Amino acid sequence: MRNLFLILLSISAFNSTGQMTGSTPYIAQFGINQVENDSGANWQITNADENDMVIAIVDDSDEVVAHAFIKSKEYYMFKNLPIGNYSYKFSAAGDYFESKRITKFTGCDPADYICEGDSEWTMEVWVERSSLVGKTGEISKDEFFN
C-alpha cells in the first residue's frame, strides 16, 4: 500500500510541473514581465484556439514587455502593464503569428479614482485558418523571438 501511495504521489508531482496558464516560459528570450505599479493598464487575453499558446505583448519599439502561456479555452490577464501602445505576437502548435494592430493603454490615475483591477481591454486570440491563403499573420520562429 505504501508503494502505491509513493507511485501516485510521484505521478501527481510529475503532472504538476507542466505549463500552467500565466507561466512565463521564455524569460531567457524576453526577460521578466514589465509592471508599472497601479497603472491599471490590464489586458485580458482569452485563448479561443484549439491549441495552447504563448502570447507576447510588444511595445512601439518592437520589444516584448510581457509574455504568458495560456492553455486552450482559458484566459490570462496581464496586470499593470506600463502605459503605452501595444501589439502582440503568439505561438501555437509550433507556428508563429503576429498582429500589428495597435491597442492603446491609458490605464487609470489612482489620484483621481481607485483602480478596481478590471481589464482596460479584453481580446480573444486564435489562429485564423483559411484553406486558400494559409494562416493569417504567420511569421517565422526567428521573427517571433526577435
Side-chain angles (χ1 to χ4, degrees):
M1 187 67 152
R2 180 179 167 180
N3 288 340
L4 178 62
F5 175 75
L6 290 174
I7 291 170
L8 291 174
L9 182 64
S10 65
I11 289 172
S12 67
F14 176 78
N15 287 335
S16 68
T17 61
Q19 294 287 345
M20 294 175 52
T21 293
S23 62
T24 52
Y26 298 134
I27 288 178
Q29 293 86 349
F30 297 139
I32 61 170
N33 289 352
Q34 296 179 29
V35 173
E36 186 177 300
N37 286 338
D38 299 322
S39 75
N42 301 331
W43 198 356
Q44 182 175 304
I45 308 289
T46 299
N47 178 359
D49 200 62
E50 60 196 32
N51 298 297
D52 298 343
M53 68 173 52
V54 173
I55 188 159
I57 308 301
V58 182
D59 68 10
D60 286 343
S61 304
D62 283 332
E63 298 293 322
V64 172
V65 297
H67 78 287
F69 174 86
I70 308 175
K71 287 185 179 250
S72 176
K73 311 301 182 215
E74 292 187 4
Y75 69 90
Y76 178 75
M77 184 161 5
F78 291 95
K79 290 185 164 251
N80 295 316
L81 292 167
I83 302 300
N85 300 317
Y86 299 106
S87 60
Y88 66 93
K89 55 188 176 180
F90 67 98
S91 66
D95 294 320
Y96 302 89
F97 306 89
E98 71 178 352
S99 171
K100 290 292 190 179
R101 190 177 129 234
I102 299 297
T103 303
K104 182 177 183 172
F105 285 86
T106 57
C108 65
D109 185 354
D112 292 335
Y113 58 92
I114 297 172
C115 298
E116 297 291 331
D118 297 330
S119 58
E120 185 174 352
W121 292 100
T122 61
M123 183 175 64
E124 288 188 355
V125 177
W126 66 93
V127 177
E128 189 174 318
R129 295 168 176 89
S130 169
S131 59
L132 298 176
V133 187
K135 298 172 186 163
T136 303
E138 195 162 14
I139 58 175
S140 71
K141 182 178 181 178
D142 287 342
E143 290 171 304
F144 179 76
F145 285 108
N146 290 325

